[in-house]
Amino acid sequence: MKLLALMVALPLLTAFLLSVINSISTFAARWAGPVVLLVTAAIGLSAWPHLGDTPQAVQWGGFQAPLGITLYADQLALLFALAITIGALLLWPGRGEDRTEEHPDDHSRNRLRRASLALLLAGTGSGLALSGDLFNIYVFYELLTVVSYGLIAGRGTSGSFAATLRYLVISGFGAALALAGIALVYQAAGTLNLAQLAQLAPERLNNSQGFAAFVLMLIGFGVKAELFPVNFWVPEVYATASSRVSALLAGVVSKLALLIIMRLLILVFHQPEALTVLLVLGVLGVASGELAAWRARDVNRLLAFSSIGQLGVMFIALSIPGNAGVLAALAVAVHHLFLKPSMFLLAERWGGSIKGLAGAAKTSPLGAALFVLLALSLIGVPPLPGFWAKLLVIMPLLALDQPLYYFAAFIVLAAAALEANYLFRVVLTLYDKAPAATPHKAHATVDLATAVFLGAGLVAAVFMLAPLAERFDFIAAQATDVSTYIQTVAPLSLESGSVQ
Amino acid sequence: MTVLDFLLLIAAITVGVALLVGNRAGGGWLVTILYALQGTVLLLMSGLGYSTLAVVHSSVTFDILNQTLVWRFDALSWFFALITIGAGLFSSWFASGEWGERYRDSGGSLALFHFALALNVFSMLVLLASGDLLTLFIGWELVSWASFLIMALAGGKAFGYAMRYISYAFAGAMALLGGLLLIYAQLGSFDYLAVKESVPQLQTSTLWLLVVLFTAGFGVKMAILPFHLWQAKAYAETPGPGAAFLGAISSRMGLFAFIVVLVQLIGISRLAGLEVPFTFLDARDLLAWIAVFTTIIPTYIALRQHDARRLLAWHGVGQTGYMLLGIVIANDLGSAGGLMHIFNYATYQAMLFMAVVAVMHRTGTSDLNKLGGLFTRMPLSYIAMLVGIIGLAGLPPMNGFVSKLLVYRSLIVDGSPLLFLGAVIGTFGTILSVYKLIHNIFLGQLRVEHAAVREAPLSMVLPMMILAAVVFVTGYFPGLVLDWTSAVQRAIGMPVLAHHLGGMMSDQGGLDMIWINSILLAGFGIGTLVFLLGGRSRRVHQLDNYAGGHFLTAETRYHYSDNFYPGLMHLVGGWYRSSFEWLERGFVSTVDTLSTAMQGLYRNAHPSYLLLAAVVFALSWVIV
Amino acid sequence: MHFSELLVELVLMPLLAFVIGLAMVLMMRRIGARIQRRVGPPLLQPLYDIIKLYGKETQISHGLMHEIGIIMAVGGYVAAETLLPVPGMSGLADKGGAVTLAYVLMIPSLGLALGVGQCANPNGSIGISRALTAMLAYDIPFILVIFGASYLYGTTNLAEMIAIQQQQGVSSWGIVQMPLLALAALLTLPAIMGKQPFEIYVAPAEIATGPMVEMGGKYMGGLFVMQCFQLYTAGVVFTTLFLGGGMYWITFLPKIFLVVAIPMSIAYLFPRYRTEDVLRVMWKWPMLLGLIGLAMVMQ
């Protein structure tokens, strides 16, 4: 299973070589990116069944843990690595955009730049998902951040630069905090390998220092996961970046950050306070996001705020102790993974104020119908998948029988009611009679096709609920199995884990 | 494949067929025939309605979350399904002829209309067939969104009303979801039987929470106070026959779910044990009072409407109160009356809406200040409306009288004079209001521009006439319906009303409508004889009138229509304060303010500053 | 009971009611006359009036509903009388009961309202608007009274109410058991009968603004017949609920005449209330008395 490492290496390598390839053959440069992503996706998919029985660990550079670069792949990690790879492929930046005004020279240069950014995104994203130690996670995370700067600023408008700057500032702070957290962990445990940390955590990190480290890392990594106090970049960025970039960031990248926090929670930090912090921040995220979305005046911002709310729900789900929490977060995350990109793609041609969209359904009936479907699933109307995901979140919340969790359940439900209101205001506007003057742009075929593909995935899920639920259950169980993690990464050398 | 599978399959096929052929000529008729087929299949299960058959299962099941979802019909479902399919059948029939052609020609999609109607029927059947709390919720949501679809069909203003509906409905659904997941969290099952058995374990506080959540959830659909604001406008703006259908049965689904959960699972007696702190009331009283105010306030709002459809729709809200009241009182009389009222109300409300739509079809308006004197032009529609308003007002000889009487009698037996008083106030308000309705449309001065108006086409008149016959016959022989309600009472564990074909038997005074109605008809016969004894009368032309000694030509408009009850309004006019509208606006502006604040937070807040605050907070927590 | 016996009762009861009603109209006019120091009409004057109205040559009909309305007004009362037990005859009392009766009694009003509506005279419509408002005013306290009686006697069957009062003597009469309710009922009686001071909706003095505006000849005659029944019904209902009904006509007749005479005598002393004042008065005093009375009954 060393091949899995290629999921990280191959896209990164291709990205760096792309300009070289371009000087040899533009045709090769144009197709190299998608082909590489296809290959890596195939690698990932072929590895999927094997990981069902036993998770795999790969040591890079020939050193055993804790010294080498450890990649750890269970189905959870692979799921997200696949998500970013296939996501980058489907949402290949720059496609479907109107480029008639672009200079031909710029055109090919921009395409090259976007291609390498997409490859970098896939590579670093996969790396983030598969990494098995904190240092690598940090490195990949930073790389990912830099790639996203490039993507967001790619549109070249002043708005997008301003948004990027804001994002830059917050990310910088986040990175510093995360680093501080990692330092605290290292100071306490003397290692950054997650498997080793998992072993040492009960004695070394189950204290206030460990808790502080968790909070710092949570806020640090939370920047990308749209965690409440560090998500102020979200509305501006999504409103100004191209829809495909927003789709990637909101749909996929945010889930990667979530995955890291999930891993840290499962393996390292077991303090009940950690869960409380997550719960509180999650609730604040849901409340602030959904409330802000209620007054949003354009679709992109609306989706941005709503995605803050959705991520808040995932944090609430994560705050549920045990298997149920991971399962719930996973279900919501995967649902969101399909749904949000599709919505952002539809929003591509629905810019400007929501009021101006009146009659847009006439121009693109399929797009409007799909939007209705997505909206229904997002607010959780049975039998669409969103409903079952919501069920998985609320059932354990209520089962815990504690006031704070009851309150969280209430907030999730109330937020759904609010969501129904603002989403269907948009829907009704789409179907309203058009004022004669403004013709609406139809969706680019590729955007619409991708959105429909993702939407079809949601519908298909309705018919496979039982097997899907079983599979998610299994993935969650596998992910929460700490001893397997430890065994897989370093079967031998763990008792000699004192490095300092 | 069981009969129930068959029924649901046909209902699903109807949905598909409606979408495919709805726009073609004759497509509506095909759909109507399919409803008739649904009705026939339902009759195959009629054992449910007569307690000879306990339950019909569906062979479709579904495993999820360690639960097996099942669908089945019992007496309660059958009773509601009968009304649903009947309402669907007649509404579709009404829409299939000239009305449909006109609708299509004026730019509406007739296929979409038939599709929405069929979808409503189908989703309601799915809801009625629900066999556990989870399927109940699934059906509930289907019904909500199907109603949303049909309400939004008209576009324009209707969008706003449909939006208001779905905001209420979805918030209610979330309350419902919270409630049933709370049950699951506490009792570990969604299954009706299992839940029913373990409900006694619930603590009082939990039970209170459940009662509040479920009442809110179901109450939104029923439009009981304080969730009543959405309904009338949304129903009124639904395209003609759609309004008849929604008015007849749609919000009854809330009552169905209420019966299933609060009556069957939790039990009225348990509700009666839940005391409201610091008052003499318990949860049951509270519900009864909500029901009574739901009767009074919307009825008096209806009294002030000057659009016929709004007026009817507001009465629809008001009549819900009687049904809920009877069921909450929960003795044999009350529950029979409440259940029977569901059927009775559906029959005349559908007919009333149809009559109004027929008038609109011919005159183009439902504004009560722009009509008048149409009795001679549209006599059959007039008969439909007359029968309907007598039913709605609850006067003999129509069926509405019997059900209301049962509810009144239950209140006497229960010894609740104030509730009784409230119910009666509602009834009198209804009488005033429906007289205004029929007077302003059919009586009084005929407008010159309506002098050439013809009776509505047969496709519209025939459903009305059949419904009128139903209203009359079930008023004459209430035992026909009481058979079904008794089966329902038996199924939901209520005391069963002793009844016969003509009415009911009771130690405290029985009722025999066959006698009452016969004597009434005989009385009319004698009245006719007495009338004929007099001299020959000469009939003057309808437009040949004078007023107060002034000879007026037909061009002068003197129809007394606006502000019809000035004396009453002089006294109670000040009590119309739109408090609930105010409350709603207050809520919306609160959300709005919060929303603005949150947007401000995201737009302006200095990110780095907040970040710093977060760090300081985190660190201080660690250090302290 | 034998069917033929019942049939005879069903024919006799409305007939008797009509005759007694005529006498009550006469009594009412005589009382009015005495108070105003006039002689008053002769014995058969009400009958003559009816015959005159029915026999008129000019009979204007404003359409079918106009005629049906009058038929409903008379027919409804004819039917209602069979629900009212009188000495020796209980008719259909066991098929309906007090609440049913109260609702059957609205049929004539509805018929009248529909008939007047068809006349297309705005003044007639105004009259109906007032009449219905007045009905809202007096029927609510009245129905409270019925509630109280039904609760007290434990049945809505009027025949059984009479039986209970007859068996247990005067101390069990409604007027002793529930004096406040009786008073409330007495206060609503003039309004129910459409008499002063609550007769604005009939507006007999100004024919141009009332339900009667388009009524002439036998239409007016029908209303006259209706009034006979109205007076009779009011008297009998009150007697049944509060005065023990009657075993024999000899005790029964004085009671019902007395019941009608009392409000009639007082009525002529008062000026007329406006429509909204009818509401205000009815919803204040009889309602208040009724509620207190109910509270006492239900103790």
Side-chain angles (χ1 to χ4, degrees):
Chain A
M1 281 297 110
K2 301 255 173 197
L3 272 179
L4 268 183
L6 288 178
M7 284 190 79
V8 186
L10 213 51
L12 290 180
L13 205 62
T14 321
F16 293 130
L17 292 178
L18 212 54
S19 51
V20 181
I21 298 173
N22 192 44
S23 60
I24 299 166
S25 150
T26 44
F27 178 81
R30 172 179 279 199
W31 290 105
V35 168
V36 164
L37 286 187
L38 267 178
V39 170
T40 46
I43 293 172
L45 282 174
S46 64
W48 176 264
H50 302 288
L51 296 183
D53 309 324
T54 43
Q56 301 286 330
V58 182
Q59 311 288 350
W60 252 0
F63 297 98
Q64 281 297 308
L67 293 174
I69 296 174
T70 307
L71 292 186
Y72 175 81
D74 55 4
Q75 284 196 334
L76 181 69
L78 187 59
L79 182 69
F80 283 97
L82 276 171
I84 184 79
T85 308
I86 297 176
L89 189 61
L90 279 179
L91 303 167
W92 193 261
R95 295 213 55 189
E97 274 175 24
D98 190 10
R99 277 197 299 267
T100 44
E101 288 168 19
E102 218 173 34
H103 191 272
D105 287 351
D106 286 351
H107 183 73
S108 71
R109 205 173 56 234
N110 279 343
R111 192 173 62 215
L112 198 65
R113 183 171 53 76
R114 277 193 292 259
S116 38
L117 282 174
L119 285 167
L120 281 173
L121 188 77
T124 51
S126 304
L128 195 59
L130 295 169
S131 282
D133 69 74
L134 270 175
F135 184 72
N136 287 339
I137 286 176
Y138 180 75
V139 170
F140 279 125
Y141 184 81
E142 278 305 295
L143 270 173
L144 195 63
T145 313
V146 174
V147 175
S148 3
Y149 297 153
L151 284 170
I152 300 164
R155 219 173 213 191
T157 60
S158 59
S160 68
F161 286 138
T164 313
L165 197 64
R166 180 179 260 211
Y167 183 39
L168 197 79
V169 171
I170 301 185
S171 288
F173 269 94
L177 287 186
L179 201 58
I182 291 171
L184 276 180
V185 169
Y186 191 76
Q187 196 253 333
T191 177
L192 291 177
N193 187 295
L194 282 175
Q196 223 161 12
L197 282 174
Q199 276 195 321
L200 297 172
E203 69 183 274
R204 308 242 179 120
L205 286 167
N206 201 0
N207 50 24
S208 55
Q209 187 182 359
F211 177 59
F214 172 75
V215 172
L216 288 170
M217 283 200 272
L218 175 68
I219 293 176
F221 293 125
V223 173
K224 273 220 175 29
E226 303 172 20
L227 185 70
F228 169 63
V230 284
N231 53 8
F232 296 102
W233 55 275
V234 170
E236 287 313 310
V237 165
Y238 292 176
T240 50
S242 81
S243 283
R244 289 179 165 253
V245 171
S246 304
L248 274 172
L249 289 182
V252 193
V253 174
S254 62
K255 309 300 177 304
L256 291 173
L258 188 79
L259 174 69
I260 294 166
I261 295 168
M262 201 190 279
R263 279 266 190 254
L264 289 176
L265 268 181
I266 294 169
L267 296 173
V268 185
F269 300 104
H270 301 119
Q271 289 94 332
E273 298 92 344
L275 296 182
T276 314
V277 169
L278 267 177
L279 182 68
V280 171
L281 292 182
V283 165
L284 287 173
V286 175
S288 65
E290 301 292 1
L291 276 170
W294 196 72
R295 261 184 77 97
R297 292 287 176 259
D298 65 82
V299 178
N300 272 316
R301 274 202 179 73
L302 183 140
L303 292 179
F305 283 125
S306 122
S307 109
I308 291 177
Q310 291 295 315
L311 266 300
V313 173
M314 288 172 221
F315 283 114
I316 291 178
L318 269 187
S319 77
I320 301 163
N323 207 346
V326 176
L327 175 63
L330 185 64
V332 180
V334 172
H335 173 242
H336 198 237
L337 192 66
F338 275 79
L339 192 131
K340 254 302 144 44
S342 187
M343 277 188 143
F344 268 114
L345 283 176
L346 290 177
E348 169 69 26
R349 291 296 158 90
W350 287 342
S353 97
I354 290 174
K355 281 208 184 79
L357 293 179
K362 268 266 181 322
T363 327
S364 46
L366 185 61
L370 183 63
F371 190 81
V372 174
L373 177 82
L374 297 173
L376 285 175
S377 189
L378 185 61
I379 60 180
V381 173
L384 294 169
F387 169 69
W388 303 103
K390 184 172 288 166
L391 217 56
L392 285 176
V393 176
I394 295 175
M395 283 205 304
L397 279 179
L398 292 177
L400 285 169
D401 205 13
Q402 285 167 22
L404 200 55
Y405 284 100
Y406 273 124
F407 181 69
F410 166 75
I411 288 290
V412 172
L413 289 172
L418 213 57
E419 244 171 355
N421 187 293
Y422 64 71
L423 282 173
F424 274 81
R425 259 194 337 232
V426 176
V427 168
L428 287 180
T429 313
L430 291 178
Y431 281 95
D432 213 345
K433 284 188 185 63
T438 51
H440 293 284
K441 285 181 285 183
H443 287 102
T445 319
V446 57
D447 279 352
L448 196 59
T450 314
V452 168
F453 177 72
L454 292 171
L458 282 181
V459 175
V462 176
F463 297 99
M464 307 190 301
L465 274 177
L468 271 179
E470 221 168 89
R471 177 51 49 188
F472 278 14
D473 225 7
F474 175 79
I475 294 176
Q478 197 186 36
T480 44
D481 186 358
V482 179
S483 60
T484 310
Y485 193 103
I486 298 170
Q487 290 300 321
T488 311
V489 174
L492 302 170
S493 62
L494 280 172
E495 54 276 14
S496 63
S498 49
V499 176
Q500 80 246 59
Chain B
M1 204 157 135
T2 66
V3 188
L4 180 57
D5 291 337
F6 202 51
L7 176 65
L8 292 176
L9 183 67
I10 294 177
I13 289 173
T14 314
V15 178
V17 168
L19 191 61
L20 288 178
V21 304
N23 263 337
R24 309 248 177 91
W29 297 113
L30 184 60
V31 176
T32 308
I33 290 169
L34 281 172
Y35 285 117
L37 196 61
Q38 290 179 30
T40 320
V41 176
L42 189 71
L43 291 183
L44 291 180
M45 289 190 271
S46 58
L48 292 171
Y50 295 95
S51 297
T52 55
L53 195 64
V55 68
V56 175
H57 282 282
S58 162
S59 57
V60 179
T61 58
F62 190 64
D63 287 306
I64 185 100
L65 304 172
N66 307 323
Q67 298 281 325
T68 305
L69 304 188
V70 293
W71 283 270
R72 91 281 174 279
F73 255 39
D74 60 5
L76 183 68
S77 333
W78 188 86
F79 179 65
F80 276 86
L82 183 75
I83 305 170
T84 307
I85 293 177
L89 172 67
F90 285 108
S91 304
S92 166
W93 184 351
F94 188 86
S96 293
E98 223 179 281
W99 185 88
E101 284 161 31
R102 176 89 59 86
Y103 183 75
R104 194 178 46 206
D105 294 345
S106 60
S109 167
L110 192 56
L112 199 59
F113 172 80
H114 277 297
F115 169 73
L117 190 64
L119 191 66
N120 268 283
V121 173
F122 172 69
S123 56
M124 285 179 192
L125 291 178
V126 170
L127 171 63
L128 296 174
S130 56
D132 53 62
L133 287 171
L134 207 52
T135 48
L136 183 82
F137 184 75
I138 294 174
W140 182 263
E141 281 291 270
L142 283 177
V143 168
S144 291
W145 290 95
S147 316
F148 174 70
L149 177 63
I150 200 167
M151 281 174 199
L153 279 184
K157 255 194 305 182
F159 271 4
Y161 301 140
M163 189 65 227
R164 194 186 200 181
Y165 159 69
I166 204 61
S167 306
Y168 272 90
F170 200 74
M174 288 299 105
L176 171 58
L177 184 63
L180 56 91
L181 291 182
L182 186 59
I183 286 192
Y184 183 77
Q186 297 274 334
L187 306 177
S189 178
F190 286 121
D191 185 62
Y192 286 155
L193 269 182
V195 169
K196 187 177 180 172
E197 276 164 19
S198 42
V199 156
Q201 302 164 10
L202 286 176
Q203 288 170 338
T204 311
S205 56
T206 315
L207 202 58
W208 256 120
L209 186 58
L210 283 175
V211 169
V212 170
L213 285 173
F214 283 126
T215 308
F218 303 141
V220 164
K221 189 83 189 156
M222 285 191 271
I224 60 172
L225 250 56
F227 312 114
H228 60 296
L229 290 174
W230 64 268
Q231 194 176 76
K233 288 175 181 171
Y235 282 8
E237 290 301 324
T238 306
F245 175 81
L246 290 181
I249 186 66
S250 182
S251 54
R252 265 6 100 207
M253 292 299 130
L255 203 59
F256 167 79
F258 181 90
I259 295 174
V260 167
V261 175
L262 285 163
V263 175
Q264 264 185 296
L265 299 189
I266 294 177
I268 294 288
S269 55
R270 188 77 204 269
L271 292 183
L274 285 180
E275 278 172 26
V276 184
F278 311 116
T279 60
F280 303 114
L281 297 172
D282 55 48
R284 172 176 166 270
D285 296 335
L286 200 64
L287 284 171
W289 275 108
I290 289 176
V292 164
F293 278 107
T294 305
T295 303
I296 298 175
I297 293 178
T299 299
Y300 282 80
I301 294 176
L303 187 58
R304 296 242 290 197
Q305 301 302 313
H306 49 77
D307 180 287
R309 291 180 297 167
R310 292 251 178 111
L311 185 146
L312 285 178
W314 271 114
H315 277 301
V317 182
Q319 297 297 307
T320 307
Y322 289 108
M323 305 168 197
L324 184 61
L325 183 59
I327 285 161
V328 169
I329 293 303
N331 48 25
D332 53 348
L333 288 162
S335 54
L339 289 165
M340 191 188 184
H341 203 58
I342 297 169
F343 176 87
N344 294 349
Y345 164 79
T347 51
Y348 54 69
Q349 181 79 345
M351 179 169 58
L352 283 168
F353 261 117
M354 285 176 185
V356 168
V357 173
V359 168
M360 278 181 75
H361 185 74
R362 286 303 190 210
T363 65
T365 181
S366 60
D367 188 332
L368 289 174
N369 292 335
K370 292 182 177 159
L371 293 161
L374 288 172
F375 166 54
T376 51
R377 309 283 95 207
M378 306 177 73
L380 293 175
S381 303
Y382 171 79
I383 290 175
M385 180 165 280
L386 181 62
V387 171
I389 65 161
I390 296 179
L392 183 59
L395 301 181
M398 303 309 168
N399 58 11
F401 167 69
V402 184
S403 43
K404 276 195 187 173
L405 182 80
L406 291 177
V407 174
Y408 296 144
R409 292 286 305 275
S410 77
L411 291 170
I412 297 179
V413 172
D414 195 56
S416 316
L418 294 178
L419 293 174
F420 180 85
L421 181 67
V424 169
I425 291 175
T427 297
F428 283 106
T430 312
I431 294 176
L432 262 63
S433 169
V434 295
Y435 178 72
K436 171 180 135 179
L437 175 71
I438 198 166
H439 173 272
N440 286 9
I441 296 179
F442 286 104
L443 303 175
Q445 188 198 15
L446 181 69
R447 289 195 160 215
V448 181
E449 65 261 35
H450 295 156
V453 161
R454 282 174 299 125
E455 178 57 90
L458 200 62
S459 63
M460 297 166 86
V461 167
L462 215 52
M464 286 195 266
M465 289 298 105
I466 295 176
L467 281 172
V470 171
V471 172
F472 183 73
V473 169
T474 52
Y476 219 112
F477 306 107
L480 295 174
V481 181
L482 285 172
D483 281 345
W484 304 331
T485 60
S486 299
V488 175
Q489 284 178 318
R490 215 163 280 136
I492 62 176
M494 291 252 187
V496 179
L497 181 70
H499 69 280
H500 52 81
L501 185 62
M504 53 105 180
M505 293 163 277
S506 162
D507 296 338
Q508 290 111 358
L511 176 74
D512 193 336
M513 286 305 287
I514 300 179
W515 275 104
I516 305 270
N517 284 349
S518 303
I519 199 74
L520 207 54
L521 293 182
F524 291 161
I526 293 171
T528 315
L529 284 181
V530 173
F531 182 78
L532 293 177
L533 280 179
R536 270 180 66 87
S537 60
R538 184 170 64 84
R539 199 172 285 181
V540 296
H541 190 269
Q542 197 184 7
L543 295 175
D544 180 15
N545 280 317
Y546 78 99
H550 301 280
F551 284 90
L552 297 172
T553 58
E555 272 78 26
T556 316
R557 285 188 184 136
Y558 52 77
H559 188 34
Y560 181 71
S561 59
D562 196 42
N563 192 15
F564 199 80
Y565 296 107
L568 180 63
M569 285 309 144
H570 191 91
L571 189 64
V572 304
W575 297 348
Y576 290 85
R577 298 227 174 114
S578 309
S579 308
F580 290 98
E581 298 269 359
W582 181 84
L583 215 62
E584 190 194 61
R585 274 201 300 278
F587 180 74
V588 171
S589 51
T590 309
V591 173
D592 203 53
T593 315
L594 284 174
S595 175
T596 316
M598 288 304 161
Q599 286 223 319
L601 190 68
Y602 279 104
R603 197 180 309 122
N604 303 327
H606 265 289
S608 41
Y609 176 74
L610 261 163
L611 208 60
L612 206 65
V615 176
V616 170
F617 177 70
L619 287 178
S620 66
W621 196 353
V622 174
I623 291 160
V624 175
Chain C
M1 197 188 334
H2 212 268
F3 184 71
S4 58
E5 266 178 65
L6 182 62
L7 212 58
V8 171
E9 281 186 8
L10 294 185
V11 175
L12 266 182
M13 288 168 89
L15 263 182
L16 270 171
F18 177 58
V19 173
I20 297 172
L22 280 176
M24 282 176 165
V25 171
L26 181 74
M27 176 185 75
M28 178 187 82
R29 289 188 182 181
R30 285 262 175 94
I31 292 175
R34 289 290 144 78
I35 289 173
Q36 293 161 354
R37 311 236 167 123
R38 289 187 281 116
V39 180
L43 184 66
L44 290 179
Q45 185 60 41
L47 194 61
Y48 296 151
D49 283 349
I50 289 177
I51 292 168
K52 177 193 73 182
L53 286 169
Y54 272 88
K56 275 201 172 175
E57 256 181 49
T58 321
Q59 307 263 17
I60 301 292
S61 160
H62 283 275
L64 189 61
M65 201 58 221
H66 188 192
E67 294 157 16
I68 294 176
I70 298 301
I71 291 171
M72 277 173 79
V74 175
Y77 266 111
V78 170
E81 303 314 342
T82 62
L83 297 174
L84 267 179
V86 290
M89 294 186 281
S90 58
L92 298 181
D94 59 331
K95 310 289 188 210
V99 186
T100 310
L101 178 71
Y103 281 85
V104 171
L105 285 177
M106 289 176 203
I107 298 283
S109 314
L110 180 70
L112 179 63
L114 292 171
V116 171
Q118 167 75 0
C119 296
N121 188 318
N123 292 327
S125 299
I126 290 170
I128 292 303
S129 146
R130 290 176 178 173
L132 288 176
T133 310
M135 187 178 83
L136 178 72
Y138 61 71
D139 255 348
I140 291 176
F142 182 67
I143 216 112
L144 262 190
V145 169
I146 289 188
F147 180 97
S150 307
Y151 190 82
L152 178 70
Y153 300 122
T155 176
T156 57
N157 187 334
L158 292 168
E160 277 181 34
M161 288 187 193
I162 295 172
I164 290 170
Q165 295 179 71
Q166 289 291 338
Q167 278 163 17
Q168 300 174 7
V170 177
S171 65
S172 74
W173 282 13
I175 198 158
V176 180
Q177 293 286 325
M178 36 186 186
L180 286 179
L181 284 176
L183 192 58
L186 203 61
L187 285 178
T188 57
L189 272 188
I192 291 175
M193 296 186 292
K195 292 299 154 210
Q196 291 93 335
F198 306 115
E199 33 62 287
I200 190 157
Y201 63 89
V202 195
E206 49 278 75
I207 193 82
T209 45
M212 267 74 116
V213 58
E214 293 285 339
M215 301 286 176
K218 60 180 172 182
Y219 301 88
M220 196 66 192
L223 296 187
F224 201 112
V225 175
M226 181 179 153
Q227 193 195 7
C228 299
F229 283 129
Q230 213 173 12
L231 294 180
Y232 168 83
T233 309
V236 176
V237 168
F238 189 89
T239 310
T240 308
L241 294 183
F242 297 106
L243 299 176
M247 284 288 265
Y248 310 103
W249 283 98
I250 191 82
T251 52
F252 184 65
L253 280 177
K255 283 185 199 168
I256 58 175
F257 275 93
L258 184 72
V259 168
V260 178
I262 294 174
M264 214 57 76
S265 324
I266 304 167
Y268 282 102
L269 304 177
F270 284 98
R272 178 191 286 170
Y273 282 112
R274 288 183 304 172
T275 314
E276 57 266 35
D277 290 332
V278 175
L279 278 169
R280 201 170 283 139
V281 168
M282 283 292 152
W283 284 359
K284 199 183 277 174
W285 298 114
M287 194 92 109
L288 203 64
L289 286 172
L291 285 176
I292 298 172
L294 265 180
M296 288 167 63
V297 167
M298 296 185 71
Q299 271 298 304

